Amino acid sequence: MTTPLPSCGVARFLVLLDGPWATLIVRELLRGPHRFTELRTALPGISPHTLTSRLRQFETHGIVTRTAHAEIPPRVVYELTPLGRELRPVLDAMAAWADAVPAAGTPAD
């Protein structure tokens, strides 16, 4: 059973994209479908447990689809749903905002 999501949109967003890994996983999946090992390679430092947990949460809330192909060895592919792809402008806005923040030691305008 999953915990109900908050009614406030900002709070809901923060619950669904909790922590830095969640946003970085979405960033990688915006580039196209990935296998689990491809995501781990693209996100150095993420533990298998954290990646699995985030992907399951995303799948539960309709942000990611998980497709298991009947092959030997098994192949599982993760892909953003249309709802998940709607996060592109959000991540683009975050990147634009962060690019405008002066680097440490650089005076602000």
Side-chain angles (χ1 to χ4, degrees):
M1 181 174 152
T2 60
T3 304
L5 293 173
S7 59
C8 169
V10 173
R12 186 178 309 134
F13 176 87
L14 292 172
V15 166
L16 290 171
L17 284 112
D18 178 37
W21 290 119
T23 307
L24 295 175
I25 292 166
V26 170
R27 179 198 67 190
E28 290 305 315
L29 290 174
L30 280 168
R31 297 176 179 158
H34 282 64
R35 294 176 71 170
F36 187 87
T37 54
E38 293 170 333
L39 286 168
R40 285 226 30 229
T41 300
L43 302 166
I46 193 168
S47 71
H49 173 78
T50 298
L51 181 54
T52 299
S53 173
R54 296 293 185 256
L55 289 169
R56 283 183 183 156
Q57 180 185 19
F58 288 164
E59 189 177 7
T60 298
H61 293 289
I63 296 168
V64 166
T65 59
R66 177 186 184 274
T67 305
H69 299 273
E71 300 174 357
I72 307 261
R75 179 171 55 103
V76 176
V77 177
Y78 296 91
E79 184 172 9
L80 291 173
T81 63
L83 176 65
R85 288 191 295 275
E86 288 179 20
L87 287 165
R88 180 178 300 280
V90 175
L91 268 61
D92 288 346
M94 289 169 59
W97 180 86
D99 288 342
V101 174
T106 305
D109 290 336

